[in-house]
Structure formats: structure tokens, C-alpha cells
């Protein structure tokens, strides 16, 4: 009761929720991929998850997901710890699972959709049942295909293996070769090489299908679409690989259709040299389905002229026999370029689309259609897209010099009256083409289209030339490089979209450059995160002051109609006033300073010899850390925790020191921050924990007294995969009595309280650790923003007050009052309250005066090697 009263009094001081906030609904679930799963990045996925979130919008509710088995969730539902149970439906044939059929009599089961899942709600909450059912009904009325869309979406993400029946396998064994034909002359869609080999997008898809089915699809070359359709109707071939997915069209040619496997878009091809007339003449290929289905419905008969092939239609437009034609978007550029139709172009606007399937002769066994349908469903659209991209690139790479020449106007050559003039003009023309080509290649290598800006390769190449223009300023030491990027740029891009935010950022930099003539040239990194700027120091400014002015000038903008303030990380590097310039090294130094500002969350960092030495030193530590862990260079030191009243030892804290042959004796402040950033802190934590556990086990086995020893836990463990599994293995390995090992969790590093999900995730981890026998200590209490939240949500055993609070209480009566209430609060929550950093007797007396009886600090003892601690314990009394 005392605990609840104290917590309530503190919570009362926090801001209360507004009356219009959404209600919170707790949903119990069991992880199941494709349905509802919580990944390592703290995101939920699955069709069951998306269904629940869709309904939550209509309920006006925020959802908190609580993991557990069905049995655990039903117990929580009965006790009121959760409001809803979400169950997945993955049963073949969409039958109701037995677990749902046998649900408790006091619960109501609400089906979401076949193949997705069910919700279970306690019948004691009829209002919630009614709200869910009405919300589900409204969602279905607004979007009746929403649930079907989810099934299709996650089927695409998690395709099952190709399962053929014995009858289907027997058919394939008896028909190892299937004769087929494909549409000719449409690279890269489908075409034949000079040797008669079928190639292109359709050919690659057929090869994929044949490999999966362990057969061979023999595609016979042909020259005309009409001849191919006739051979299918007569049964001379079994299959057409690319058939318009229309059952009427299939019936006309005595064929059965498979499921579609590809969608084709069609664009317009026209001439460059004249505008389109009001009543254009349209060139149409005979025997093509899209002509009958689309073109003949779009234009009257008097505007249509017919040709045998698509190539003849292209030639007709090029030769002014027609004004336009329609071709597939993926073949349009190759039709123009490889056909040398330099006077044609396409605006790339899609006019109509249709799907492509395979047509099977009606004289063939219908079993083949069923087999092909299974295979089409098995193939992922990502594989299809990859094939299309590869083939488009392959055809475009076949561009020839002749095609390059014909794509440009050559009318001047018609007026040449002699071979000499013709050769000269041709050479000049080729030189012009070569110059344009080189300019395009240069731009491709040095330009970032996404942000319309040059890249760092261009910046380095141009830097010596640009510095030559400012030789006088350089001699005066006024030239420097600046590298900057927006803070939290990944989050901002996700919030506003990458393209929108990049445009806003580039606009800001351009605006700032207009207002500051000392910003001379700039370029963007290839990942479009950082911008490098060549700067001339403005009069009366230091480099840091100039950088501050730039970030202030580019700090405010409007994105998608929303005002936004942007903060920056900046790196600076002065350019030497004389001597040769190593442009790449100068930029690298500025990037090092920028990296330093990012890693230490600073606004501005300046490159100097100390920074370079610091970075080299950190790199050396990184190169040695794995070897150091393997060779036992990390030493455990123990600092006693004691009772201030009795001066007896109550526990100890394990601290780490690095005795490096190369670097010397290092305290934690020299390497812990680096290890936290590069992730090595996880391995070091396990090393310390195992060393301390082994030490405790040995003392127990020798019949020696044992006191709790605390070991720090890095904040990286909260996202570590299998963290609890590894901790359980350690607990089982050493079989220590409960509370022999204490885990010190830093509130500022271990838990992120920006989301409700983090509360439950952290609480579950802490609860499991206590269940394994570990004692939990809240380290550095009052140094962060999550102290009260941790008290409210996490069942901790020890409150460890940071030394900064003790120092403040010595100087300020107000701080002393706060410290007094913190001690009272911890004790009222049945927590051991300990203050660290005690160095004077006056500090001991101050803590005793406010009721804090536990402490740690140099006054009682400094940290000592693990080997010396046993002797220290024997010389001092131990509090049981």
C-alpha cells in the first residue's frame, strides 16, 4: 500500500493525458511469421497485425501488443491484464482451429477473415465486442477487398514450395519436352537471335519455369504472329509462351489460358519533326490482341492502317506512312535505337496495359494448365522484375555507333557535294557525338541526379582548380572545407520521404549559399547524406562562427506544408596557406571531423592533429580489443558497497580495467564509449559476467562467505538477439544462489521510453532476468529522463543514486530535499537505496541524516583487483 501511494504521488506530478486521447487496447498474441511477428528492429509485421491496426483506426484506439502463448493470453484475458487475444488462421482449407472451437465459454470469438485469424474478447466486455464487430463491418463495407489484399500481399512475401501431385509429376515425366512458340522480333521482350535461339524477358521466364519443373520448353522460331496462332489452333504446338490474357481471345484460337505472369504497358511512338495532326493515322500490327481490344476501340477505322509486324509499323511511322503507333514500354527504346529510327520518339506515357499468360492448346491434357498455374504462383514478382531489368539493360548495351549517328540530325550530310566534304562533316559529327557521350559519362560519374548536385569525386577533382582562383585568400589562411548533414537524417527521410526531404535540404543549402558569398562550391556524398563545401572565411569570423552562421541560415524550412527546424552535424578542416594540395586527404580530414561530431552528438567538430591522433588511437584500440579479450587483458576490479552505519561490507561492484601490452593500463573512460559505439561492449559484458560468476562459484565450493557482486549491463543488450537465452545458459552453468549476481542497468542507456511497446518489452526482459535469479539494480538514477517511468514499469531491487545528486545536495538545500524524497521513494518501494561516489565523512553524515544507509566510494575503499578482494573481505566485517 505504501509503494502504491508513493508511486501515485510522484505520478500525480507528471502531466495528465488529455481528454481526447485514444483509448489503449492490450492485445495478446503469439509470434507467427506472416501473421503477427515482432522483429529485431522493434517493428511488427504480418497480415493479422495489419488487420488489427486497420480495425483500431475505426475503434479510435492505440494498440499495445503483449507476447505469450494462447494459454498464457487466455489467463491474462480472464484476469483483465489484456483486452483481446489475436490468433492466426493458417489451417489448410481455412477450417476453424480446435483452439478457437474450444475457447472458454466466457469469451467471444470474432473472425477477421479466412486465412488471417480471429479475435477473442471476454464476454464481460460487451461494449468492446460491439465496437469491434461494428468497426469490422464498417471496414468491410468501405474496403471489401482489404483482407483479400493482405492475403495476396503476404502470400507474395512468403511463397510456399512448389508442390506437385503424383499425377502431375507423372505427366511431366512422360512429357519432358514441350513444343512452344513465342512472339518474334520484340527485343528485349521476346525475340530470336540469328542462330534461332529464343531470348529476352519471356525466354528467361520460360527457362525459370522449365528448370523448376525439370522439363525442356522448346521454343520454335517463327516470323509472323498469325502463323504462330494458327499452329496453336491446329495443335501443331502445345504452348504459346506469351499470350494475351483474355479468355475470348484464347477461345478463338482453341486454347486454354494459364494464370497471368506479366503485365505489359503500351506507349505511343511518334515523329519528332512534326506535330501530331487532329486525326492521326495509326499503324497497327495484324493478329495482335491489343489492336482489337484497345486501338480499334480508341480510333475509327478510317484512321487505322495494318501491317504484319511491329517493326513494319515503326517503319511506317518513320517513313511518314502513318503518324503514330503503339508499342510495349519495355521495347520502345530498343525499337527506336536498334532500328535506327532517329526521327521517332516516345513520351513514355502509358496509354493502356494488359496481362500476359501462356496459352495451352485445347488438344493438350488440361493437367498441363494446372501444373503451369502452380509454377506461376510459385514464381515471385521480384524474380520477374529482375529478369525485365536485366534484359532491358542487355539490349540497351547493344547500342552501335551507327545507331548513335542516326539518332541525331544528319540533314547537313544530304547537301554534301563531294566525298571530301562528306568525310569532314561525318568526322565533325562523330566528334560532336563523342563529346556529348563523354559529357554524359562525366556527368554520370560526377553527378547525383536525385539531388541535382555534383558528387564528392567531382569536388575533389575540382578543388585544386577552385583554390587557384582564391590564391590570395589561401595565402592569408582564409580557406577551409566544411562537411555537414542534418541530424537524425534517416528519421527525417522516413518521416517526409527521402525525395521530399532531400529537395528541402538542397533548397536550404542553395538559399544559404545565396545569402553567404563565402560559400564557394559544394557537392553531395553518394549516399546523399553529407554535403561538402569549399569556403572562404568571412571577415571577422572564425571557422566555427562561420559554420554556426551557415547552420542558422539553413535551419528553417517548410516540408509538405509543415514548418520544420533542422539541426546539423558539421566537420571543419582548414586548408594550408601554402604548399601542394592533396585534395582527397583534405576532404578526408573534414569527413573525419564530421564523423567525430556525429559519433559524439556535437554540432561542430574541427579537424586538428589532436583529433587525428585521437581517431588513430581509437582505431588502434579497435584492432587490439578482440585479442585483448582472448588473452585475458581485461581485468576485473571490485569496489565494496557498505553500510554507512555499521561500516560493514554488504556487496561489491565489478569494474573493468584494460592491462594492454601495447597501450598500457587503461581505465574504462578510455575505451567504454568506443566499445558501446562499435558493439564490442556486448562481448565484454559477457566476459565480466562469466568471470564474476566463476569467482562466486569457486568461493561457494570452498565454503567461503559470498556477498552479492554487481555487473554492469550495456544498453546494447536490449536489441541483442537471444539475450535472455544466453543469460539463462549462464545461470544454468554456474547454478548460483538467487541474488548472488546483481545486474546494474543504466536508465539512460538501457531503456527507450518513447513508445508504449518499449515499456512492455523492457518489463518482460527485467522480469525474466529476475526469474533467472539475477538481482536488478537501477544504476545512475536521476541522470536521465526515464527515472520515474522505470520505477513505474520495471520491478527493480536496488536504486543506485548517481554521485551528481550527492554533490548537488551538499551545496543546495533544494537539492537536499529532492535527494531526501528520492531516498524515501525508493525505500517505500521496498528497494535498497545506495548512493555512490562517497569521498568524505561529511557526505556520509549527510546521507545518514536523510535515512540513506548504503553507499559506495573512495572513503570506504577504492576498486581493487579481484585477487586482492578476498583478503579485504577477511579484514572487514560482512553484513549478512
Amino acid at each position: 500500500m505504501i509503494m502504491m501511494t508513493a508511486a501515485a504521488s510522484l505520478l500525480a506530478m507528471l502531466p495528465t493525458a488529455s481528454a481526447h486521447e485514444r483509448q489503449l487496447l492490450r492485445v495478446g498474441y503469439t509470434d507467427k511469421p506472416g501473421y503477427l511477428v515482432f522483429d529485431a528492429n522493434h517493428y511488427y509485421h504480418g497480415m493479422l497485425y495489419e488487420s488489427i491496426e486497420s480495425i483500431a483506426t475505426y475503434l479510435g484506439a492505440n494498440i499495445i501488443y503483449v507476447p505469450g502463448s494462447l494459454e498464457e493470453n487466455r489467463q491474462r484475458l480472464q484476469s483483465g491484464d489484456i483486452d483481446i487475444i489475436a490468433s492466426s488462421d493458417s489451417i489448410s482449407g481455412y477450417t476453424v482451429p480446435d483452439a478457437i472451437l474450444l475457447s472458454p465459454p466466457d469469451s467471444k470469438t470474432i473472425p477477421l477473415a479466412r486465412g488471417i485469424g480471429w479475435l477473442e474478447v471476454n464476454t464481460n466486455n460487451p461494449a468492446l465486442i460491439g465496437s469491434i464487430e461494428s468497426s469490422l463491418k464498417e471496414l468491410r463495407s468501405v474496403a471489401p477487398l482489404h483482407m483479400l489484399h493482405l492475403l495476396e500481399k503476404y502470400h507474395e512475401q512468403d511463397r510456399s514450395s512448389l508442390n506437385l501431385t503424383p499425377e502431375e509429376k507423372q505427366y511431366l515425366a512422360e512429357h519432358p519436352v514441350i513444343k512452344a512458340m513465342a512472339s518474334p522480333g520484340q527485343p528485349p521482350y521476346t525475340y530470336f537471335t540469328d542462330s534461332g535461339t529464343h531470348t529476352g524477358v519471356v525466354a528467361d521466364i520460360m527457362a525459370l519455369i522449365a528448370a523448376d519443373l525439370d522439363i525442356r520448353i522448346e521454343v520454335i522460331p517463327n516470323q509472323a504472329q498469325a502463323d504462330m496462332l494458327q499452329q496453336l489452333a491446329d495443335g501443331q504446338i502445345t504452348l504459346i509462351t506469351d499470350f494475351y490474357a483474355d479468355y475470348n481471345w484464347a477461345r478463338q484460337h482453341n486454347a486454354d489460358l494459364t494464370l497471368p505472369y506479366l503485365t505489359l504497358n503500351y506507349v505511343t511512338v511518334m515523329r519528332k519533326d512534326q506535330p501530331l495532326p487532329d486525326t492521326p493515322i495509326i499503324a497497327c500490327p495484324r493478329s495482335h490482341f491489343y489492336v482489337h481490344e484497345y486501338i480499334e476501340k480508341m480510333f475509327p477505322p478510317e484512321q487505322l492502317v495494318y501491317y504484319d509486324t511491329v517493326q513494319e509499323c515503326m517503319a511506317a511511322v518513320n517513313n511518314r506512312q502513318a503518324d503514330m503507333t503503339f508499342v510495349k514500354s519495355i521495347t520502345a527504346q530498343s525499337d527506336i535505337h536498334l532500328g535506327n529510327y532517329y526521327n521517332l520518339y516516345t513520351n513514355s506515357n502509358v496509354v493502356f496495359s494488359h496481362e500476359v499468360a501462356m496459352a495451352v492448346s485445347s488438344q493438350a491434357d488440361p493437367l498441363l494448365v494446372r501444373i503451369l498455374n502452380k509454377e506461376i504462383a510459385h514464381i515471385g514478382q521480384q524474380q520477374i522484375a529482375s529478369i525485365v531489368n536485366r534484359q532491358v539493360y542487355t539490349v540497351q548495351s547493344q547500342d552501335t555507333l551507327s545507331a548513335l549517328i542516326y539518332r541525331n540530325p544528319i540533314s547537313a550530310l544530304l547537301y554534301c557535294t563531294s566525298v571530301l566534304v562528306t568525310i569532314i562533316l561525318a568526322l565533325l559529327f562523330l566528334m560532336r557525338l563523342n563529346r556529348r557521350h563523354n559529357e554524359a559519362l562525366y556527368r554520370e560519374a560526377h553527378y547525383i541526379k536525385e539531388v541535382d548536385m555534383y558528387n564528392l569525386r567531382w569536388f575533389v577533382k575540382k578543388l585544386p582548380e577552385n583554390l587557384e582562383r582564391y590564391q590570395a585568400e589561401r595565402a592569408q589562411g582564409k580557406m577551409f572545407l566544411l562537411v555537414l548533414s542534418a541530424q537524425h537524417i534517416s528519421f527525417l527521410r522516413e518521416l517526409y520521404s527521402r525525395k521530399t526531404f532531400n529537395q528541402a535540404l538542397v533548397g536550404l543549402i542553395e538559399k544559404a549559399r545565396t545569402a553567404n558569398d563565402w560559400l564557394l562550391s559544394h557537392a553531395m556524398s553518394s549516399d546523399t547524406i553529407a554535403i561538402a563545401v569549399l569556403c572562404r572565411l568571412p571577415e571577422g569570423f572564425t571557422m566555427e562562427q562561420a559554420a554556426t552562421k551557415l547552420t542558422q541560415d539553413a535551419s528553417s524550412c517548410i516540408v509538405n506544408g509543415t514548418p520544420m527546424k533542422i539541426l546539423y552535424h558539421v566537420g571543419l578542416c582548414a586548408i594550408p596557406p601554402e604548399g601542394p594540395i592533396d585534395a582527397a586527404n583534405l576532404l578526408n580530414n573534414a569527413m573525419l571531423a564530421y564523423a567525430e561530431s556525429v559519433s559524439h552528438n556535437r554540432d561542430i567538430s574541427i579537424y586538428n592533429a589532436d583529433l587525428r591522433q585521437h581517431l588513430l588511437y581509437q582505431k588502434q584500440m579497435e584492432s587490439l580489443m578482440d585479442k585483448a579479450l582472448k588473452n585475458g587483458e581485461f581485468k576485473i576490479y571490485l569496489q565494496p558497497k557498505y553500510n554507512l552505519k555499521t561500516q560493514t561490507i554488504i556487496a561489491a561492484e565489478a569494474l573493468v580495467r584494460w592491462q594492454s601490452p601495447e597501450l598500457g593500463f587503461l581505465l574504462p573512460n578510455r575505451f567504454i564509449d568506443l566499445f558501446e559505439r562499435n558493439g564490442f561492449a556486448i562481448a565484454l559484458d559477457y566476459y565480466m559476467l562469466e568471470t564474476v560468476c566463476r569467482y562466486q562459484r569457486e568461493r561457494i565450493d570452498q565454503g567461503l562467505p559470498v556477498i552479492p557482486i554487481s555487473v554492469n549491463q550495456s544498453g546494447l543488450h536490449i536489441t541483442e538477439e537471444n539475450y535472455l537465452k544466453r543469460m539463462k545458459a549462464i545461470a544454468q552453468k554456474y547454478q548460483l544462489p538467487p541474488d548472488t549476481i546483481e545486474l546494474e542497468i543504466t536508465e539512460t542507456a538501457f531503456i527507450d521510453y518513447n513508445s508504449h511497446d518499449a515499456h512492455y518489452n523492457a518489463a518482460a526482459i527485467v522480469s525474466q532476468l529476475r526469474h533467472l535469479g539475477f538481482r536488478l539494480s537501477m544504476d545512475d538514477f536521476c541522470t536521465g529522463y526515464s527515472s520515474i517511468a522505470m520505477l513505474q514499469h520495471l520491478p527493480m531491487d536496488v536504486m543506485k543514486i548517481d554521485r551528481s545528486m550527492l554533490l548537488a545536495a551538499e551545496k543546495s538545500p533544494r537539492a537536499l530535499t529532492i535527494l531526501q524524497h528520492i531516498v524515501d521513494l525508493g525505500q517505500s518501494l521496498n528497494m535498497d537505496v545506495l548512493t555512490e561516489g562517497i569521498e568524505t565523512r561529511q557526505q556520509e553524515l549527510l546521507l545518514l541524516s536523510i535515512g540513506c544507509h548504503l553507499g559506495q566510494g573512495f572513503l570506504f575503499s577504492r576498486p581493487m583487483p579481484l585477487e586482492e578482494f578476498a583478503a579485504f573481505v577477511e579484514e572487514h566485517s560482512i553484513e549478512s
Side-chain angles (χ1 to χ4, degrees):
M1 180 60 105
I2 295 175
M3 183 193 318
M4 293 177 62
T5 304
S9 63
L10 276 173
L11 291 173
M13 295 187 289
L14 300 175
T16 57
S18 59
H20 61 272
E21 282 190 354
R22 295 185 174 193
Q23 63 172 324
L24 290 178
L25 291 179
R26 300 158 300 176
V27 176
Y29 75 97
T30 304
D31 265 1
K32 186 158 189 178
Y35 291 86
L36 205 166
V37 67
F38 186 61
D39 65 18
N41 296 319
H42 293 185
Y43 290 106
Y44 290 96
H45 302 282
M47 58 180 128
L48 180 56
Y49 164 69
E50 292 195 30
S51 300
I52 294 171
E53 289 295 328
S54 300
I55 297 170
T57 304
Y58 284 85
L59 288 171
N62 285 332
I63 305 298
I64 297 174
Y65 293 92
V66 182
S69 66
L70 180 60
E71 293 74 16
E72 291 172 338
N73 286 330
R74 282 184 170 164
Q75 291 176 5
R76 292 170 182 164
L77 186 66
Q78 295 299 316
S79 62
D81 291 335
I82 60 175
D83 305 296
I84 302 170
I85 296 175
S87 300
S88 59
D89 175 10
S90 61
I91 306 302
S92 176
Y94 307 124
T95 58
V96 182
D98 292 340
I100 300 298
L101 291 173
L102 300 177
S103 59
D106 53 357
S107 65
K108 166 76 171 180
T109 299
I110 304 173
L112 294 175
R114 289 183 175 180
I116 292 182
W118 314 79
L119 300 181
E120 193 172 314
V121 185
N122 199 305
T123 53
N124 292 331
N125 198 347
L128 179 58
I129 294 172
S131 297
I132 293 174
E133 289 178 337
S134 61
S135 298
L136 190 57
K137 181 178 180 182
E138 185 175 358
L139 177 62
R140 287 168 176 166
S141 66
V142 172
L145 299 180
H146 175 64
M147 298 298 182
L148 184 61
H149 167 71
L150 292 179
L151 282 168
E152 182 179 6
K153 172 183 176 181
Y154 285 93
H155 174 69
E156 176 65 29
Q157 293 179 359
D158 185 23
R159 292 182 175 273
S160 59
S161 59
L162 180 62
N163 295 317
L164 299 178
T165 65
E167 181 186 10
E168 291 166 343
K169 292 179 180 179
Q170 180 64 30
Y171 177 86
L172 294 176
E174 294 174 355
H175 299 82
V177 178
I178 295 178
K179 289 189 176 182
M181 282 188 172
S183 299
Q186 301 179 64
Y189 170 59
T190 172
Y191 62 106
F192 293 89
T193 63
D194 294 338
S195 62
T197 302
H198 186 216
T199 188
V201 172
V202 173
D204 282 0
I205 295 173
M206 292 304 111
L208 182 63
I209 292 172
D212 282 352
L213 299 179
D214 195 21
I215 60 173
R216 182 165 64 90
I217 300 177
E218 181 182 332
V219 182
I220 304 169
N222 69 94
Q223 298 297 324
Q225 186 88 358
D227 179 60
M228 176 180 68
L229 295 174
Q230 187 60 50
Q231 291 199 44
L232 178 70
D234 296 341
Q236 298 177 41
I237 58 174
T238 304
L239 185 73
I240 288 182
T241 60
D242 55 311
F243 198 86
Y244 306 103
D246 182 88
Y247 287 98
N248 293 302
W249 185 251
R251 189 177 298 112
Q252 292 178 32
H253 298 89
N254 296 332
D256 296 317
L257 277 186
T258 67
L259 295 174
Y261 64 85
L262 185 66
T263 298
L264 294 178
N265 299 320
Y266 285 76
V267 296
T268 308
V269 173
M270 300 167 285
R271 286 195 303 276
K272 296 178 182 177
D273 58 359
Q274 69 179 40
L276 200 65
D278 294 336
T279 56
I281 302 301
I282 317 299
C284 307
R286 293 186 181 92
S287 303
H288 281 254
F289 167 79
Y290 69 85
V291 173
H292 305 292
E293 185 65 19
Y294 299 103
I295 300 176
E296 290 177 352
K297 295 178 181 179
M298 295 166 61
F299 299 95
E302 58 270 18
Q303 290 180 233
L304 305 180
V305 292
Y306 293 87
Y307 298 89
D308 289 334
T309 65
V310 172
Q311 288 72 23
E312 290 180 5
C313 293
M314 295 283 292
V317 177
N318 187 65
N319 299 332
R320 300 175 182 272
Q321 296 169 348
D323 298 305
M324 60 188 292
T325 189
F326 296 95
V327 299
K328 299 173 181 66
S329 60
I330 63 173
T331 70
Q333 293 301 325
S334 63
D335 288 339
I336 293 172
H337 295 167
L338 299 182
N340 294 331
Y341 300 129
Y342 58 88
N343 196 35
L344 302 184
Y345 78 102
T346 174
N347 56 18
S348 299
N349 292 330
V350 176
V351 181
F352 53 84
S353 304
H354 71 73
E355 293 180 315
V356 177
M358 287 179 277
V360 178
S361 171
S362 58
Q363 300 180 32
D365 191 331
L367 190 62
L368 177 58
V369 177
R370 298 202 296 271
I371 296 172
L372 293 173
N373 281 343
K374 283 188 177 182
E375 172 60 20
I376 291 169
H378 176 66
I379 299 174
Q381 285 303 310
Q382 186 175 0
Q383 291 176 281
I384 301 291
S386 176
I387 289 172
V388 172
N389 292 335
R390 182 176 67 252
Q391 284 294 338
V392 169
Y393 175 81
T394 300
V395 169
Q396 289 178 349
S397 66
Q398 297 171 357
D399 215 353
T400 62
L401 178 62
S402 175
L404 291 173
I405 296 174
Y406 279 118
R407 284 205 305 272
N408 295 273
I410 58 171
S411 55
L413 295 177
L414 300 176
Y415 299 96
C416 293
T417 58
S418 68
V419 174
L420 180 61
V421 174
T422 301
I423 293 174
I424 293 174
L425 288 177
L427 288 174
L428 290 174
F429 187 65
L430 288 173
M431 290 172 62
R432 181 184 177 191
L433 284 177
N434 187 57
R435 183 172 64 253
R436 286 185 177 180
H437 182 65
N438 289 336
E439 289 174 354
L441 288 177
Y442 182 86
R443 190 174 179 85
E444 186 70 25
H446 298 90
Y447 206 75
I448 303 175
K449 296 179 182 178
E450 180 182 353
V451 292
D452 194 26
M453 190 182 295
Y454 283 104
N455 61 21
L456 297 184
R457 182 185 299 175
W458 173 90
F459 187 82
V460 169
K461 189 173 183 179
K462 289 289 185 181
L463 186 58
E465 177 185 330
N466 289 331
L467 284 175
E468 281 294 326
R469 302 175 187 172
Y470 301 96
Q471 192 59 43
E473 288 86 346
R474 182 191 170 194
Q476 298 172 19
K478 293 185 176 182
M479 303 300 292
F480 66 97
L481 295 183
L482 178 150
V483 175
L484 84 165
S485 76
Q487 296 183 17
H488 311 297
I489 187 168
S490 297
F491 169 76
L492 294 172
R493 281 177 170 173
E494 183 176 347
L495 183 63
Y496 296 105
S497 88
R498 179 187 178 100
K499 181 179 180 181
T500 300
F501 179 76
N502 281 349
Q503 290 174 344
L505 182 60
V506 171
L508 276 178
I509 300 302
E510 292 290 353
K511 179 181 176 182
R513 187 176 174 187
T514 302
N516 298 276
D517 60 359
W518 50 273
L519 302 172
L520 305 178
S521 66
H522 63 276
M524 177 75 77
S525 62
S526 58
D527 55 8
T528 67
I529 288 179
I531 297 176
V533 188
L534 173 62
C535 306
R536 179 185 64 224
L537 194 66
E539 199 65 36
F541 281 75
T542 65
M543 283 195 305
E544 190 167 3
Q545 289 170 339
T548 301
K549 182 178 186 303
L550 171 61
T551 58
Q552 290 173 348
D553 291 345
S555 64
S556 300
C557 69
I558 296 178
V559 181
N560 288 341
T562 303
M564 180 178 65
K565 184 175 181 63
I566 300 179
L567 302 177
Y568 296 89
H569 292 299
V570 180
L572 300 172
C573 175
I575 296 176
E578 58 184 18
I581 288 294
D582 186 339
N585 189 53
L586 282 174
L587 179 61
N588 184 56
N589 292 342
M591 294 295 288
L592 287 175
Y594 159 73
E596 181 74 4
S597 69
V598 173
S599 63
H600 289 84
N601 199 26
R602 298 173 183 164
D603 293 336
I604 299 174
S605 292
I606 301 176
Y607 175 83
N608 52 38
D610 291 339
L611 173 60
R612 184 172 186 83
Q613 190 63 33
H614 172 67
L615 293 173
L616 290 173
Y617 185 73
Q618 287 195 330
K619 189 172 184 64
Q620 185 182 14
M621 281 198 291
E622 287 189 307
S623 68
L624 295 171
M625 61 189 186
D626 289 316
K627 184 267 293 183
L629 188 65
K630 181 180 179 181
N631 294 344
E633 296 175 16
F634 293 105
K635 306 299 182 182
I636 305 296
Y637 276 57
L638 295 180
Q639 184 177 27
K641 302 176 184 178
Y642 68 105
N643 187 311
L644 277 61
K645 294 175 64 177
T646 64
Q647 295 293 302
T648 55
I649 301 174
I650 61 167
E653 178 182 3
L655 304 169
V656 66
R657 304 290 187 264
W658 186 357
Q659 184 63 59
S660 171
E662 297 85 1
L663 305 175
F665 185 78
L666 303 181
L667 293 174
N669 61 352
R670 299 287 296 277
F671 55 83
I672 285 298
D673 285 346
L674 173 64
F675 291 175
E676 287 282 350
R677 291 197 300 273
N678 64 23
F680 186 71
I682 290 178
L684 184 58
D685 278 356
Y686 285 120
Y687 168 80
M688 291 189 64
L689 179 60
E690 291 240 29
T691 303
V692 171
C693 286
R694 187 162 49 250
Y695 174 80
Q696 296 285 65
R697 183 72 262 169
E698 289 173 355
R699 289 188 65 86
I700 291 173
D701 293 344
Q702 295 170 12
L704 299 174
V706 171
I707 60 172
I709 299 179
S710 61
V711 182
N712 288 295
Q713 291 285 281
S714 165
L716 299 175
H717 290 295
I718 192 65
T719 57
E720 180 194 355
E721 187 176 359
N722 295 326
Y723 172 56
L724 289 175
K725 184 177 180 180
R726 293 187 68 175
M727 295 298 286
K728 182 178 180 181
I730 292 173
Q732 291 176 343
K733 178 179 179 181
Y734 294 99
Q735 296 291 316
L736 296 173
D739 298 338
T740 307
I741 299 295
E742 183 178 300
L743 303 178
E744 291 198 7
I745 301 173
T746 304
E747 57 143 320
T748 56
F750 193 60
I751 305 298
D752 174 12
Y753 273 93
N754 291 329
S755 69
H756 293 290
D757 295 337
H759 299 177
Y760 288 93
N761 192 33
I765 290 175
V766 169
S767 178
Q768 287 293 323
L769 290 173
R770 293 187 72 192
H771 180 72
L772 293 173
F774 294 108
R775 184 175 166 88
L776 277 298
S777 172
M778 187 184 300
D779 195 14
D780 295 341
F781 190 78
C782 290
T783 59
Y785 301 101
S786 308
S787 303
I788 301 302
M790 288 185 72
L791 286 177
Q792 179 184 359
H793 294 282
L794 302 185
M796 310 294 279
D797 302 296
V798 180
M799 176 190 292
K800 192 172 183 182
I801 299 173
D802 189 73
R803 181 172 184 265
S804 60
M805 286 298 299
L806 175 60
L807 297 178
E810 283 189 294
K811 300 176 182 178
S812 165
R814 186 180 183 89
L816 180 60
T817 301
I818 294 173
L819 181 58
Q820 168 79 67
H821 284 289
I822 290 173
V823 172
D824 293 342
L825 171 62
Q827 292 173 348
S828 68
L829 294 174
N830 293 326
M831 299 174 71
D832 291 338
V833 181
L834 180 146
T835 303
E836 61 182 350
I838 303 172
E839 296 184 355
T840 66
R841 177 59 180 164
Q842 289 74 16
Q843 291 173 344
E844 268 192 345
L845 295 174
L846 182 148
L847 291 171
L848 287 169
S849 70
I850 62 173
C852 180
H853 302 150
L854 307 180
Q856 177 183 351
F858 289 173
L859 178 64
F860 187 76
S861 173
R862 290 179 175 271
M864 65 193 73
L866 190 66
E867 299 79 11
E868 299 177 9
F869 187 70
F872 183 86
V873 170
E874 292 178 2
E875 295 172 3
H876 293 77
S877 300
I878 299 177
E879 183 175 302
S880 61

